[in-house]
């Protein structure tokens, strides 16, 4: 099991440096950043800074999308960070949520996500690529052959199929082992159907984790199921609530959902949290004493998850890292 942390772009620079140093020393091997340039500061500036203060930790967006930047700009940025960090860069890709919806724009189609993924691969590696917005082929004369892993974020059946068909890994914003297994199996089956070798396909469960009192922890992370619900609502709108294309346990909890405020995306003061029950919070996140964290992550591992990525922005960040360093991560290194 790999362990990661994930930041929004509001962490003050000196504290971000301290947290990534602490996390790397604790055994975390990944640091991810939200890529939502209006709600928070640009994430890639922070990544470059944090890379300079770590030695082995890998970095990447969780997630970027095809619609925020010209594709050659995105590829140049990612290739530069891969080279600058000594090949410590991954790319997480989605359709685009808060980064584009906050501007009133629509997320990208899945066909566009797939094409974006392949164009990034080619350009970062140093190969020639052509894409819709650019009438002439593009090639970076300075590219040196980096091939960062491409992770695709997904929930719905077509998105899961895209992840399996073109991704190196799958990002799931949820920590329920049963749901993770169901979704992961769909992605792997799609990859196998496309003739891909899925033996090294990776699956990330990204969710908040708070060690200590559960009642206190639930209040700190209640924003997370609401954020997940926003994605699930898109699936229900497209396929209906009775669909067998996604688990009933993933769709049933949003029946009382009233809306979502993108200006409060991923924040505890989002006004649309009243439909979230304690059971949902416990299912979607990782809470309680460290032995409960170990048990939950073992269940995720048994469900096929290969990385647990903590959204490290719910409070007590230093304590969570310290508790994982002392108790949780050592339980998976033996």
């Amino acid at each position: 099991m790999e362990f990661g942390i994930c930041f929004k772009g509001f962490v003050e620079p000196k504290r971000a440096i301290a947290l990534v140093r602490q996390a790397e020393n604790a055994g975390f091997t990944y640091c991810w950043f939200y890529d939502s340039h209006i709600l928070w500061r640009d994430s890639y500036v922070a990544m470059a800074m944090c890379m300079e203060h770590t030695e082995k930790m890998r970095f990447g967006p969780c997630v970027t999308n095809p619609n925020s930047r010209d594709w050659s700009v995105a590829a140049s940025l990612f290739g530069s960070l891969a080279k600058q960090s000594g090949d410590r860069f991954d790319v997480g890709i989605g359709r685009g949520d808060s980064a584009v919806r906050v501007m009133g724009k629509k997320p990208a189609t899945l066909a566009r996500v797939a094409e974006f993924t392949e164009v990034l691969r080619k350009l970062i590696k140093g190969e020639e690529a052509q894409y819709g917005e650019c009438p002439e082929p593009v090639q970076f004369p300075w590219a040196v052959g980096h091939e960062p892993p491409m992770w695709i974020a997904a929930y719905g059946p077509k998105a899961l199929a895209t992840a399996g068909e073109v991704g190196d890994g799958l990002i799931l914003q949820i920590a329920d082992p049963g749901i993770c297994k169901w979704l992961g199996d769909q992605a792997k089956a799609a990859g196998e159907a496309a003739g891909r070798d899925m033996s090294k396909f990776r699956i990330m469960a990204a969710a908040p984790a708070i060690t200590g009192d559960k009642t206190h922890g639930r209040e700190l992370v209640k924003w997370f199921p609401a954020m997940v619900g926003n994605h699930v609502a898109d699936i229900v709108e497209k396929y209906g609530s009775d669909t067998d294309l996604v688990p009933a346990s993933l769709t049933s909890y949003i029946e009382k959902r009233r809306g979502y405020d993108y200006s409060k995306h991923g924040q505890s003061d989002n006004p649309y949290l009243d439909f979230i029950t304690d059971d949902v919070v416990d299912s979607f996140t990782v809470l309680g004493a460290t032995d409960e964290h170990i048990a939950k992550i073992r269940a995720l591992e048994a469900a096929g998850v290969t990385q647990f990525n903590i959204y490290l922005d719910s409070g007590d960040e230093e304590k969570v890292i310290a508790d994982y360093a002392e108790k949780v991560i050592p339980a998976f290194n033996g």
Side-chain angles (χ1 to χ4, degrees):
M1 177 65 71
E2 298 173 322
F3 289 87
I5 57 174
C6 188
F7 288 139
K8 298 190 187 86
F10 58 55
V11 182
E12 288 303 310
K14 289 185 179 178
R15 184 160 185 249
I17 292 169
L19 285 169
V20 294
R21 283 174 169 170
Q22 182 191 5
E24 184 172 63
N25 289 332
F28 288 87
T29 55
Y30 273 84
C31 179
W32 301 91
F33 280 78
Y34 284 57
D35 182 9
S36 194
H37 61 289
I38 291 178
L39 294 181
W40 304 295
R41 298 189 302 272
D42 185 88
S43 59
Y44 301 102
V45 177
M47 281 185 219
M49 175 187 71
C50 291
M51 285 172 174
E52 295 299 310
H53 294 273
T54 53
E55 296 180 358
K56 297 180 180 179
M57 182 173 273
R58 300 185 66 85
F59 292 83
C62 186
V63 295
T64 191
N65 70 86
N67 290 353
S68 286
R69 299 169 187 84
D70 174 86
W71 293 5
S72 67
V73 173
S76 180
L77 176 61
F78 302 157
S80 298
L81 287 169
K83 179 174 175 58
Q84 183 173 313
S85 65
D87 205 17
R88 293 188 287 135
F89 191 76
D90 289 35
V91 184
I93 303 169
R95 294 178 59 213
D97 188 35
S98 61
V100 296
R101 292 199 210 229
V102 75
M103 295 189 287
K105 296 182 178 182
K106 293 183 178 180
T109 64
L110 290 167
R112 187 169 166 84
V113 168
E115 183 187 1
F116 180 60
T117 303
E118 296 297 350
V119 168
L120 288 181
R121 276 200 181 103
K122 290 179 179 179
L123 291 178
I124 296 171
K125 191 176 181 180
E127 298 176 354
E128 183 180 274
Q130 189 168 3
Y131 56 96
E133 294 89 339
C134 189
E136 297 293 333
V138 176
Q139 187 171 20
F140 299 148
W142 50 266
V144 292
H146 288 294
E147 299 183 60
M150 302 284 173
W151 302 67
I152 309 293
Y155 290 107
K158 291 184 179 179
L160 291 164
T162 300
E165 289 163 359
V166 304
D168 301 303
L170 170 66
I171 296 174
L172 301 173
Q173 288 185 111
I174 197 164
D176 179 285
I179 294 175
C180 285
K181 177 171 173 47
W182 198 100
L183 299 174
D185 286 350
Q186 303 307 303
K188 287 189 282 190
E192 289 166 357
R196 300 186 71 200
D197 177 4
M198 302 300 283
S199 61
K200 295 182 180 179
F201 189 74
R202 297 153 74 187
I203 299 175
M204 175 204 301
I210 299 288
T211 52
D213 180 70
K214 269 191 177 180
T215 302
H216 174 64
R218 287 183 188 120
E219 290 305 311
L220 294 176
V221 302
K222 204 175 224 185
W223 59 268
F224 178 69
M227 187 173 77
V228 173
N230 174 63
H231 297 292
V232 177
D234 286 345
I235 298 170
V236 171
E237 182 179 351
K238 184 169 184 177
Y239 297 101
S241 58
D242 299 332
T243 180
D244 60 357
L245 297 174
V246 290
S249 54
L250 188 58
T251 59
S252 61
Y253 83 99
I254 65 164
E255 291 176 357
K256 297 181 180 179
R257 178 181 182 271
R258 294 183 294 110
Y260 192 76
D261 184 351
Y262 267 96
S263 69
K264 299 291 185 180
H265 182 67
Q267 299 180 41
S268 59
D269 60 346
N270 197 299
Y272 298 107
L273 302 181
D274 54 346
F275 74 103
I276 304 297
T277 65
D278 287 351
D279 287 345
V280 167
V281 176
D282 292 351
S283 172
F284 283 30
T285 66
V286 182
L287 302 173
T290 51
D291 60 342
E292 293 178 274
H293 285 243
I294 292 169
K296 181 79 173 275
I297 297 168
R298 286 205 188 283
L300 287 168
E301 188 174 43
V305 171
T306 62
Q307 181 178 150
F308 178 52
N309 177 23
I310 300 175
Y311 284 143
L312 196 69
D313 51 16
S314 299
D316 298 328
E317 289 83 5
E318 287 84 359
K319 179 181 182 298
V320 170
I321 293 174
D323 287 344
Y324 267 65
E326 181 182 359
K327 298 286 187 180
V328 180
I329 294 177
F332 293 86
N333 288 342

